[in-house]
Amino acid sequence: MTIKNIDKQYVLNTYNRFDLYLVEGKGSVVKDENKKEYIDLTTGIGVTAFGIADEKWVEAVTNQLTTLQHTSNLYYTSPCALLAKAICEKTDMSKVFFSNSGAEANECAIKVARKYAMDKGYDRVNILTLNNSFHGRTLATLSATGQDHYHELFNPLPTGFVYADANDIDSVIATAKENNVCAIMVECVQGEGGVIALNKDFVNAIYDYAKANDILFVVDEVQTGNGRTGQLYAYMNYGIKPDVFTTAKGLGGGLPIGACVVGEKAQNTLGFGDHGSTYGGNPVACAGALSVVERIDDKLLQDVRKKSEYVFSTLSECEGIEAVTGMGLMIGIKTKKPVSDVIKECMENGVLCLSAKDKLRLLPALNIDFEILKKAVDVIKSACEN
Ligand SMILES: *Cc1c(COP(=O)(O)O)cnc(C)c1O
């Protein structure tokens, strides 16, 4: 039996996989079972921030792996402490809770928001999120996700989530006033929703409203974080600072980790026993993440922005492309041809791309070689034009 058939028979059928079995890679190039090479513009959905088998990341992970792979959260370990310090110092936030995924990081943010309101004596339990958002697959984060088609099959979902329209501050304020809201949670660039950046005025207006009403402003940086948008975190493009932000995906560089990062206001909201995770703060995952966070400096971010400008300007002028959206190296492309056809043609020509709704989505490694990126963009261009 081939690996593909074993997988089809024994792995729960929740993923509509591409007909591609990947076996190895280096940097931004991956190889299939027949050694055919592909330029990887997917990075495991924004996870392998420095590409496959990056030397510095591998070194950080293997050093920790062969020293102390796991304790529990009953003891101190250095990678967890140093990663929390690095994130807080780079963001001017106060404290971090580590989990294993983006959805779990958002679960923590939801708990922080509810308890913050309770501690203050407010009668507020609802979290406001945006229509077309995506916040995860656990029951609560599915409920937080503002897209009905994710909800229908799994009722009853946890209650306490209300939805407003993106880029419509009147909708947000009206919904918040009607529903006793303890937090407003947004993605600065809606990823799964089609790579759509929120307007600057809108984000600033939410910030002002939340601040004036002691509502926590939570930014979901699971996909947008860790250099992806050309700043360390996407909210930095908007000139605001959230009360809480969550991140995962690129943070781990390829190992599972999530983080709920809390600012001064709510830093003492969760105390002993209020939250926990067996694997959260795992030394190996944290050592890898620390090596990722330490490398996202001004020079790298400038480089991300330069590559972004190249992709935006080159593809915007392409015949077969209607629009290029997103920010940094989180790029959505509205193609004239059906996006599935474009992805298929790119794959045949050695380039792996993602989709998001009706758009082609690119999430290349932050350090992708410029020449490799140019080659991939040429393949996308001709796949869109032919
Ligand atoms: C991927 C994603 C999540 C969920 O992360 P998991 O690690 O799959 O649980 C949550 N929010 C956003 C914005 C995401 O892109």
Side-chain angles (χ1 to χ4, degrees):
M1 234 176 154
T2 64
I3 287 294
K4 286 178 189 171
N5 285 332
I6 293 171
D7 185 290
K8 276 179 197 160
Q9 181 166 340
Y10 293 106
V11 176
L12 204 68
N13 225 321
T14 62
Y15 302 106
N16 188 10
R17 300 195 202 281
F18 290 110
D19 185 24
L20 183 61
Y21 165 31
L22 295 174
V23 291
E24 60 180 316
K26 189 74 192 163
S28 288
V29 178
V30 290
K31 289 185 198 173
D32 71 11
E33 61 197 302
N34 305 313
K35 305 265 179 220
K36 179 176 168 178
E37 293 191 351
Y38 301 83
I39 298 172
D40 178 25
L41 303 183
T42 74
T43 53
I45 319 190
V47 168
T48 49
F50 288 97
I52 304 294
D54 172 77
E55 269 161 37
K56 286 184 188 138
W57 181 85
V58 168
E59 194 190 334
V61 167
T62 46
N63 280 346
Q64 187 59 45
L65 187 61
T66 51
T67 310
L68 182 67
Q69 86 272 29
H70 181 78
T71 55
S72 71
N73 283 304
L74 301 175
Y75 308 103
Y76 296 98
T77 54
S78 75
C80 172
L82 296 180
L83 176 60
K85 177 171 180 274
I87 293 172
C88 289
E89 283 180 353
K90 281 173 174 256
T91 58
D92 194 30
M93 298 293 273
S94 302
K95 289 188 182 343
V96 185
F97 181 88
F98 291 114
S99 56
N100 314 291
S101 67
E104 282 174 89
N106 287 338
E107 292 270 349
C108 179
I110 293 162
K111 282 179 141 181
V112 169
R114 295 238 172 100
K115 183 154 186 295
Y116 179 82
M118 196 176 73
D119 288 349
K120 288 280 189 114
Y122 302 147
D123 179 24
R124 300 175 179 174
V125 298
N126 290 312
I127 316 278
L128 187 154
T129 64
L130 298 179
N131 288 318
N132 197 46
S133 58
F134 183 84
H135 296 296
R137 302 284 199 158
T138 61
L139 289 168
T141 59
L142 260 192
S143 208
T145 292
Q147 301 189 54
D148 286 341
H149 70 96
Y150 282 110
H151 297 167
E152 285 152 4
L153 304 175
F154 304 107
N155 285 312
L157 289 181
T159 53
F161 296 91
V162 295
Y163 316 97
D165 290 333
N167 295 324
D168 181 348
I169 190 62
D170 294 340
S171 164
V172 168
I173 292 175
T175 309
K177 281 188 171 156
E178 257 168 51
N179 291 287
N180 294 328
V181 156
C182 62
I184 299 173
M185 177 159 77
V186 306
E187 302 154 87
C188 287
V189 185
Q190 294 188 326
E192 303 304 310
V195 200
I196 305 165
L198 297 181
N199 295 336
K200 202 163 182 175
D201 288 352
F202 175 67
V203 172
N204 276 270
I206 296 179
Y207 175 82
D208 290 341
Y209 177 78
K211 192 170 179 186
N213 293 280
D214 202 17
I215 291 167
L216 293 187
F217 189 13
V218 181
V219 178
D220 178 343
E221 296 268 4
V222 171
Q223 190 163 157
T224 53
N226 313 296
R228 179 55 54 197
T229 67
Q231 294 289 344
L232 181 58
Y233 292 100
Y235 70 78
M236 294 170 173
N237 292 296
Y238 291 78
I240 55 122
K241 194 181 135 191
D243 299 305
V244 178
F245 75 84
T246 58
T247 190
K249 290 195 169 96
L251 177 64
L255 283 172
I257 188 170
C260 177
V261 184
V262 183
E264 204 178 347
K265 226 181 189 181
Q267 62 171 312
N268 296 314
T269 298
L270 294 184
F272 292 142
D274 290 339
H275 199 36
S277 163
T278 299
Y279 288 121
N282 170 271
V284 181
C286 287
L290 182 59
S291 86
V292 168
V293 168
E294 280 176 341
R295 282 167 76 185
I296 305 174
D297 56 12
D298 288 342
K299 190 183 165 299
L300 180 89
L301 292 171
Q302 211 172 347
D303 227 42
V304 167
R305 296 194 291 268
K306 228 167 72 189
K307 288 168 189 167
S308 171
E309 276 161 34
Y310 169 77
V311 177
F312 270 79
S313 63
T314 310
L315 293 182
S316 298
E317 284 166 17
C318 174
E319 271 288 303
I321 291 172
E322 279 170 14
V324 186
T325 64
M327 213 183 266
L329 288 176
M330 180 172 177
I331 299 167
I333 300 161
K334 181 82 190 73
T335 56
K336 289 185 181 157
K337 276 168 47 173
V339 69
S340 55
D341 293 355
V342 175
I343 288 177
K344 191 162 168 271
E345 204 172 315
C346 284
M347 195 190 289
E348 281 163 11
N349 291 305
V351 175
L352 301 184
C353 304
L354 295 160
S355 64
K357 289 271 172 76
D358 62 344
K359 295 219 186 86
L360 191 70
R361 174 173 44 155
L362 313 180
L363 298 170
L366 305 179
N367 64 342
I368 186 171
D369 190 276
F370 221 122
E371 291 311 309
I372 293 180
L373 181 63
K374 283 181 176 162
K375 233 165 99 180
V377 166
D378 286 343
V379 169
I380 293 169
K381 252 171 81 173
S382 55
C384 290
E385 273 165 1
N386 296 333

